[in-house]
Amino acid sequence: MTSIDTPGSQVSESEISMTLDSLRECLEAVRRGEIQRVRGRLGNLSPDQENAIDSLSHALIERVLQAPMAMLKNASAGNQAVSVVETVRRIFNLRT
């Protein structure tokens, strides 16, 4: 396990990976919940429409994840790893 040294602290690559996984899970739960919440208003959807909604919502999540994921991955190369990991965890209320 590799650790990222920062003044007075360390963040392992495993911790960064767990934070990324937790962030993805958090946003996926929001995505599923919102689809479920509006499902009644959508009425009967064709399989193509279901696939379109699924694809659109996954694409939105991936776009939202791009910046925090890049920051976390880049943090492992710099001396800001602890700060970035803690900030992402706080912003998204992650428990990892």
Side-chain angles (χ1 to χ4, degrees):
M1 178 185 308
T2 305
S3 293
I4 291 82
D5 294 322
T6 58
S9 220
Q10 289 184 337
V11 174
S12 69
E13 287 181 17
S14 173
E15 288 176 277
I16 291 173
S17 180
M18 288 186 328
T19 301
L20 287 170
D21 291 345
S22 183
L23 179 56
R24 184 176 296 284
E25 289 171 13
C26 174
L27 293 177
E28 177 61 21
V30 170
R31 184 193 75 81
R32 284 191 313 266
E34 288 303 305
I35 288 174
Q36 193 64 28
R37 186 179 67 80
V38 299
R39 179 134 339 257
R41 293 187 295 188
L42 297 174
N44 292 328
L45 299 175
S46 72
D48 285 343
Q49 290 170 321
E50 290 278 352
N51 287 336
I53 289 170
D54 195 53
S55 292
L56 171 66
S57 61
H58 277 290
L60 287 169
I61 294 302
E62 289 304 313
R63 289 295 301 245
V64 169
L65 281 170
Q66 280 179 347
M69 289 180 73
M71 288 179 67
L72 284 165
K73 287 177 181 177
N74 290 334
S76 66
N79 63 359
Q80 301 273 322
V82 171
S83 176
V84 171
V85 168
E86 288 177 357
T87 300
V88 168
R89 288 177 181 170
R90 258 186 278 131
I91 288 171
F92 292 98
N93 196 29
L94 304 177
R95 290 179 170 75
T96 49

